[in-house]
Amino acid sequence: NDLIWPIFIREGKNIKEPIKTMPGVYRYSLDKLENLIEKAISKKIPVVALFPNTPSQKKDSRGKEALNKNNLVCKALRLIKKNYSEIGLMCDVALDPYTSHGHDGILKNNYVDNDETIKILVKQSLLQAEMGCDVIAPSDMMDGRIGKIRKNLDKNGFHLVQILSYAV
């Protein structure tokens, strides 16, 4: 009843790509998602968590792709919610999938700028909620982000969107 199935997604069509560091686990193109979601529903898995593999050409130092309404996660959220409203959707909130340097935050003078990063994470969380995410799952480890995310979600009418912090 509490199982959350992580699904790793990537751009492209008709792709089921093995993840070398996780034997038996794959990245799927969006056109393969419906079969996975139907499988999850048939096995009574209540929630799937989406993890994007962002192409390097869409990464930059500030993780701007995280705020793109047409990024991979947003497309997946819309697709799943449109066709499968009965399954819960969880999304990672962090910048590491979107930054060229691979850190979860904005770098200034070789240090992660906590406050600047939180501003982006708050926007990323709201965007994911707008696209249909049921559970926001910040994994970034920035100090104070949970309260700010909750306040912004509530302010925008997303009182029922849950937050599950990896740091809890």
Side-chain angles (χ1 to χ4, degrees):
N1 291 336
D2 294 328
L3 183 65
I4 298 169
W5 181 9
I7 297 178
F8 301 90
I9 55 177
R10 56 156 294 151
E11 290 188 351
K13 291 197 185 288
N14 198 31
I15 298 172
K16 178 182 177 183
E17 170 188 61
I19 301 175
K20 292 176 188 165
T21 56
M22 294 188 281
V25 179
Y26 301 88
R27 283 188 195 97
Y28 298 91
S29 53
L30 295 185
D31 58 330
K32 298 275 189 184
L33 272 183
E34 291 193 61
N35 287 337
L36 297 171
I37 299 303
E38 288 172 6
K39 188 176 184 179
I41 291 168
S42 74
K43 299 207 178 278
K44 298 185 179 6
I45 296 173
V47 177
V48 296
L50 302 173
F51 295 92
N53 182 350
T54 306
S56 58
Q57 67 268 23
K58 293 187 176 182
K59 294 180 180 187
D60 64 24
S61 63
R62 297 188 57 79
K64 289 180 197 166
E65 183 68 7
L67 302 180
N68 177 359
K69 290 182 180 185
N70 288 309
N71 69 29
L72 197 54
V73 169
C74 291
K75 287 179 185 177
L77 286 167
R78 289 191 302 263
L79 172 75
I80 297 167
K81 276 298 177 181
K82 177 183 171 189
N83 298 311
Y84 305 98
S85 60
E86 67 269 35
I87 194 156
L89 297 174
M90 177 184 285
C91 293
D92 185 38
V93 171
L95 296 183
D96 60 312
Y98 306 101
T99 58
S100 52
H101 48 71
H103 290 287
D104 272 334
I106 303 304
L107 294 181
K108 284 190 181 169
N109 300 319
N110 291 321
Y111 288 95
V112 174
D113 185 322
N114 188 81
D115 295 344
E116 189 66 25
T117 300
I118 288 175
K119 291 175 188 174
I120 297 169
L121 298 175
V122 167
K123 290 177 185 176
Q124 182 185 24
S125 298
L126 180 59
L127 176 60
Q128 290 177 353
E130 290 170 342
M131 296 297 133
C133 185
D134 301 298
V135 181
I136 300 294
S139 66
D140 58 275
M141 305 299 283
M142 297 300 123
D143 291 335
R145 88 261 200 231
I146 301 301
K148 290 183 186 209
I149 289 170
R150 176 80 275 150
K151 184 177 182 179
N152 194 50
L153 289 172
D154 289 349
K155 180 178 111 182
N156 286 280
F158 292 100
H159 308 285
L160 298 179
V161 172
Q162 300 173 34
I163 299 175
L164 175 67
S165 170
Y166 288 34
V168 169

